[in-house]
Amino acid sequence: MGFIQQGPQLAHPLHHDRVLRGWLQHNLDAAAHAALLPDLQALADYALQAYARRQGTPRREPQLTQWDAWGRRVDRIALTPAWEEGAALTAAHGLLWAGHAADARGMQRAAQFARVYLYHVASEFYTCPLAMTDGAATALKASGDATLLQRALPRFLSRDAATLWLSGQWMTETSGGSDVSRSEVEAHQDASGQWRLHGRKWFTSAIIGEAALTLARPSGAGAGNDALGMFYVETHATDGAWQPGLRIQRLKDKLGTRELPTAEIELDGLAATPVGEPRHGVRRIAPMLNITRTWNAICALASMRRALALALDYATRREAFGALLIDKPLHRDTLAGLNAEFEAAFALGFGVARLLGEVEAGLADAETQAVWRILTPLAKLWTGKLAVRITSECLEACGGAGYIEDTGLPQLLRDAQVYPIWEGTTNVLALDTLRALGGDDLSPFATWLQRQWPQEIPGATTMQAALAAAAQWLLPASRERALLEAGARGMALTLARCAAATLLARQAQTAAVLGDLRAAASLRRFLGHGLLRLNASSAADCAAILAQD
């Protein structure tokens, strides 16, 4: 038999990830690190086993059976093995519970998301309902609804797989999409006072959850966001059957995340409970969005890391033009550049996770809370876009094999496309960032970043120059709303990269004290690619560019 190329092998996701190990070592105290390590080891071992299990086997997807053999409506969904294993892993390793555990230093979220980061790719996006359940738990806490908290919270955060509940998030309708003010699902009270939902939800991720939070417009309420209410529903009766008034029309045929059962559903009298008074529903979503957007950022990092790990391993196995790819200067430089971008993104994503924990623990002052509200959409926005680019580059780094389905590599790229879309597209989040800035004054955010930059680490002037250019651009642009919105994406990307560089500089400083200069090298490479992304065309130029006749 002739030559057969050996495919990439996955190195141990914990032992061979210096970025994760370094961040945890530098940010957790010794006791917290020691307590976390067994869970990280187990989840990394599982990821390695899951990768081996998928090699050479046909890809499985959930299957919906709407009717049984005798014509009874059952809407039964068969899940993949990874999804069947999800509840046990979640409960055993505290993937939800850990984020809500008391921590005097506010590091509970960082510890939780380290677990999520290692588990995500192996989970086949079981992390999606985990994110929504985490968000639901947070939203219910913020509501102060004692009855719902007593009923749902112990189940959402259970350490027992038999009692663990997942929550869905039913927001998307054909009429609205990101514009939830156009939601058409209505809530009516019956003669007994029970609220019931009527209408269609076009995109409900992980329909297999036992509960969900959803928006609906109470009967007789006016138009717009404030008239919407947020409602809590349970999807199954005590015998396990679907609740009356809930029908699954179909599972969505998606580009990626195909193991995740996303459904289109019809509601015809589904019993619901308002979370608080049945209005101001969009405001009640806000605590949930901060959580799910952070999950999105961390999961994007996990996908980037998996793609980079495989591309790097392949470079040590593939020989071309007389040498291994890793020994080719251009290929080595390409991989180094991608890894530097990833390391900066990691610093931003986990920096936001740490801030989230500090905010929830009551340790963040008003200034830090304001910065966190800006950094959260920035982290989601930038990591989502970067995940698509890095996975694409890593497929290219594997040559033709990166385009062949049964290598498993194309799935990484298809799945990555969900990150810029779910929980707010890039443009939606860029506009959210403008709102979070609260006007045309960038100085509070810029001052916070400048204070974080270690004096011993070169590069502060590059970051300061980028922030000064952003502030200068923002001031004249603020006089014309259309131009401000047109440039919102470039502004957001600039701010995200400035924040990432700053947090990576802090990591580089801590590592350098221990004699590790690798983070500093990544910072130099990242800064060399530039921080500025400011751009916007005039309305006239846009019209000229887009004209097709």
Side-chain angles (χ1 to χ4, degrees):
M1 181 177 287
F3 172 78
I4 297 178
Q5 174 63 46
Q6 187 180 24
Q9 302 300 305
L10 182 64
H12 193 275
L14 176 61
H15 300 163
H16 290 266
D17 190 337
R18 71 162 179 87
V19 177
L20 172 64
R21 289 184 290 106
W23 195 94
L24 294 174
Q25 180 184 4
H26 301 150
N27 287 273
L28 297 181
D29 61 37
H33 190 270
L36 177 61
L37 203 55
D39 284 323
L40 298 187
Q41 180 71 44
L43 290 167
D45 290 346
Y46 176 78
L48 208 57
Q49 295 161 8
Y51 179 78
R53 179 170 66 184
R54 286 294 299 270
Q55 300 309 296
T57 61
R59 185 175 183 182
R60 292 183 58 179
E61 298 181 11
Q63 298 292 325
L64 171 64
T65 301
Q66 292 180 299
W67 310 92
D68 71 6
W70 303 99
R72 181 176 55 199
R73 184 72 180 256
V74 291
D75 287 347
R76 183 171 55 248
I77 300 174
L79 301 171
T80 68
W83 274 66
E84 297 286 1
E85 296 160 355
L89 287 161
T90 297
H93 301 296
L95 286 158
L96 288 171
W97 165 85
H100 296 259
D103 189 318
R105 295 184 63 223
M107 293 301 294
Q108 72 280 1
R109 286 295 186 178
Q112 175 194 26
F113 282 117
R115 295 169 166 95
V116 171
Y117 171 82
L118 288 173
Y119 175 55
H120 168 61
V121 178
S123 82
E124 297 179 355
F125 280 80
Y126 188 80
T127 46
C128 175
L130 295 186
M132 292 184 289
T133 305
D134 194 349
T138 303
L140 290 181
K141 282 183 178 181
S143 76
D145 191 311
T147 301
L148 289 180
L149 283 169
Q150 184 178 11
R151 175 156 182 82
L153 202 64
R155 293 169 169 86
F156 289 164
L157 305 181
S158 176
R159 298 300 307 269
D160 180 359
T163 59
L164 177 69
W165 279 13
L166 298 179
S167 175
Q169 181 178 303
W170 301 352
M171 307 298 172
T172 306
E173 300 181 19
T174 52
S175 57
S178 295
D179 183 5
V180 295
S181 67
R182 299 177 64 193
S183 296
E184 295 178 345
V185 168
E186 293 187 353
H188 306 276
Q189 281 184 291
D190 62 19
S192 69
Q194 172 67 60
W195 286 92
R196 297 192 178 276
L197 305 183
H198 298 265
R200 179 188 185 202
K201 291 293 184 180
W202 184 80
F203 200 95
T204 59
S205 289
I207 187 60
I208 49 87
E210 289 80 5
L213 293 181
T214 183
L215 291 176
R217 195 173 302 281
S219 180
N225 283 342
D226 270 356
L228 291 170
M230 186 164 75
F231 291 83
Y232 166 86
V233 302
E234 293 180 6
T235 59
H236 292 82
T238 54
D239 63 359
W242 294 101
Q243 292 280 17
L246 171 59
R247 288 287 181 265
I248 301 176
Q249 299 299 75
R250 60 174 174 166
L251 296 184
K252 294 294 196 180
D253 189 7
K254 298 169 294 180
L255 171 70
T257 67
R258 296 179 69 90
E259 293 86 353
L260 164 58
T262 305
E264 191 173 312
I265 61 175
E266 289 285 343
L267 306 176
D268 186 17
L270 177 66
T273 302
V275 180
E277 58 180 327
R279 59 176 182 164
H280 306 313
V282 174
R283 298 184 203 175
R284 299 185 194 279
I285 292 174
M288 179 191 309
L289 290 178
N290 287 327
I291 301 299
T292 53
R293 286 172 176 176
T294 306
W295 276 78
N296 196 98
I298 300 301
C299 291
L301 292 172
S303 288
M304 287 185 247
R305 174 59 192 161
R306 173 61 63 87
L308 287 164
L310 294 176
L312 181 59
D313 184 83
Y314 186 72
T316 68
R317 300 175 188 276
R318 175 61 176 171
E319 182 181 320
F321 304 105
L324 291 172
L325 291 180
I326 196 62
D327 295 326
K328 297 287 187 181
L330 179 55
H331 195 83
R332 187 170 61 245
D333 182 78
T334 299
L335 292 179
L338 296 174
N339 275 273
E341 290 267 316
F342 161 75
E343 193 163 352
F346 186 100
L348 178 57
F350 272 83
V352 167
R354 176 168 184 163
L355 286 175
L356 170 61
E358 292 174 356
V359 168
E360 290 181 331
L363 302 176
D365 59 22
E367 179 193 41
T368 303
Q369 291 182 50
V371 169
W372 165 70
R373 284 191 289 271
I374 296 169
L375 286 179
T376 299
L378 288 179
K380 190 277 183 188
L381 172 153
W382 182 51
T383 57
K385 298 300 288 184
L386 192 60
V388 176
R389 186 169 71 80
I390 283 183
T391 52
S392 177
E393 289 278 7
C394 288
L395 264 62
E396 184 179 345
C398 294
Y403 202 66
I404 303 302
E405 188 63 39
D406 56 8
T407 65
L409 296 169
Q411 182 180 347
L412 290 171
L413 179 57
R414 284 199 306 274
D415 286 348
Q417 188 60 64
V418 77
Y419 300 124
I421 295 175
W422 187 58
E423 295 303 271
T425 63
T426 306
N427 284 354
V428 166
L429 289 167
L431 295 174
D432 279 357
T433 300
L434 285 182
R435 283 189 287 272
L437 286 171
D440 57 9
D441 186 6
L442 194 61
S443 57
F445 180 72
T447 299
W448 188 89
L449 287 185
Q450 289 163 357
R451 282 206 309 267
Q452 306 303 309
W453 195 288
Q455 292 183 353
E456 302 84 357
I457 300 296
T461 54
T462 303
M463 184 271 294
Q464 292 165 353
L467 288 173
Q472 184 63 33
W473 181 87
L474 187 61
L475 283 171
S478 65
R479 303 185 191 117
E480 183 183 339
R481 183 65 193 179
L483 184 59
L484 183 64
E485 288 193 8
R489 178 188 284 230
M491 167 65 76
L493 290 171
T494 297
L495 298 184
R497 292 176 70 84
C498 287
T502 302
L503 294 170
L504 180 55
R506 291 181 62 184
Q507 187 69 9
Q509 178 196 38
T510 308
V513 171
L514 301 176
D516 185 352
L517 302 179
R518 291 174 294 186
S522 292
L523 176 63
R524 287 193 298 274
R525 178 59 184 263
F526 181 68
L527 291 173
H529 279 255
L531 301 180
L532 281 175
R533 294 294 186 272
L534 300 175
N535 54 72
S537 299
S538 67
D541 279 351
C542 286
I545 293 166
L546 298 176
Q548 300 298 313
D549 51 27

